Amino acid sequence: MKDYVKWLGHAAFELMLDGKRILIDPWIRGNPKAAVKLEDIEDVDIILVTHDHGDHLGDSIEIAEKFDAKLISVYEIAVYASNQGVRNAIGMNVGGDIEVDGLKIVMTPSLHSSERGCPVGFIIVGSKNTVYHAGDTGFFSDIKYYAEVYPIDVALVPIGGVYTMNPVMAARFVALFKPRIAVPMHYGTFDVIEKDPKEFKDQVERKEPTIRVIILGIGDKLEL
Ligand code: NI
Ligand code: MN
């Protein structure tokens, strides 16, 4: 099966990498912009959770239990998930990497807050494509060094402002590590994070024209 990235709305994505289905921050129930219903989620191999705010931890635990999927998160959230009955909760921490189902998963920093542990992002390295999900984060620059080691094909970046970077800072952020493709996320779900993704696209094109910005509609699938 071809690799792809599908936007499920807000910060939720479904990835296909090397034939493995990965969900990141699957907040489906209660997400006013969800592209799918919880019942329509197909067999999942891996769930990545960037932090435990409700719009990210979302339905992770229920989906992990349903499919016996591996739930990967910062140590404290993994312990919580395990206590909730998730059989395959895998804890790691910032800067660490693990091999799961033939994929390398690297936990990156994020500048944000959380109840349990600390917020993170993920770099997922497949044999053909490497995808980075920034989580909820303010601007930081260490990602440049991670991307030198793990060059990024597709970066999923929050642009909604208020809780994360806005389009201008998000453009500066991606210009630091120059992914092949940048996809904006975490905007437009609620009034308070209403932003124009074209502003992000314009800013990126001005700062770093080698990066292709792809504005996905909710439910859109980007084949890689
Ligand atoms: Ni958050
Ligand atoms: Mn959020």
Side-chain angles (χ1 to χ4, degrees):
M1 187 171 288
K2 268 188 101 172
D3 288 356
Y4 67 78
V5 170
K6 182 179 176 184
W7 194 26
L8 303 182
H10 200 58
F13 285 85
E14 176 186 323
L15 313 185
M16 183 64 68
L17 284 180
D18 295 350
K20 302 294 172 194
R21 183 177 279 111
I22 303 152
L23 294 184
I24 310 176
D25 288 355
W27 176 45
I28 311 295
R29 194 177 279 148
N31 176 351
K33 297 283 171 76
V36 291
K37 291 203 187 84
L38 206 48
E39 310 84 82
D40 299 334
I41 299 268
E42 293 176 87
D43 194 17
V44 178
D45 299 293
I46 299 170
I47 301 168
L48 303 176
V49 180
T50 63
H51 63 299
D52 64 0
H53 289 158
D55 58 323
H56 296 263
L57 181 59
D59 305 296
S60 300
I61 286 171
E62 192 174 326
I63 299 167
E65 287 177 342
K66 180 170 177 189
F67 296 110
D68 227 354
K70 300 174 185 76
L71 188 154
I72 300 173
S73 194
V74 75
Y75 173 76
E76 288 80 1
I77 296 176
V79 168
Y80 169 73
S82 174
N83 289 339
Q84 297 290 307
V86 173
R87 281 174 295 276
N88 295 309
I90 301 172
M92 53 189 298
N93 222 313
V94 176
D97 63 280
I98 54 172
E99 297 272 344
V100 179
D101 293 347
L103 302 168
K104 182 188 278 289
I105 300 187
V106 183
M107 187 169 269
T108 64
S110 100
L111 283 184
H112 193 65
S113 67
S114 61
E115 297 280 328
R116 300 172 187 85
C118 61
V120 303
F122 290 100
I123 297 173
I124 308 114
V125 185
S127 63
K128 293 180 286 297
N129 290 288
T130 295
V131 178
Y132 167 52
H133 188 294
D136 276 359
T137 188
F139 181 89
F140 70 102
S141 54
D142 284 3
I143 194 61
K144 179 178 191 300
Y145 303 103
Y146 283 87
E148 282 174 12
V149 178
Y150 308 106
I152 291 164
D153 294 295
V154 182
L156 313 171
V157 194
I159 66 157
V162 185
Y163 310 109
T164 69
M165 299 179 283
N166 64 19
V168 175
M169 292 309 289
R172 291 198 82 97
F173 182 69
V174 294
L176 281 175
F177 63 94
K178 302 180 184 60
R180 204 158 55 75
I181 296 169
V183 174
M185 63 156 175
H186 208 276
Y187 68 94
T189 323
F190 327 104
D191 290 349
V192 69
I193 56 168
E194 200 60 60
K195 287 285 184 305
D196 184 356
K198 290 197 199 70
E199 190 189 356
F200 173 67
K201 192 175 166 68
D202 291 347
Q203 291 281 339
V204 173
E205 279 165 2
R206 208 173 304 164
K207 278 209 85 63
E208 192 51 63
T210 58
I211 303 171
R212 200 168 142 221
V213 172
I214 297 184
I215 298 171
L216 292 179
I218 291 165
D220 283 357
K221 188 188 274 189
L222 169 63
E223 294 218 338
L224 303 175

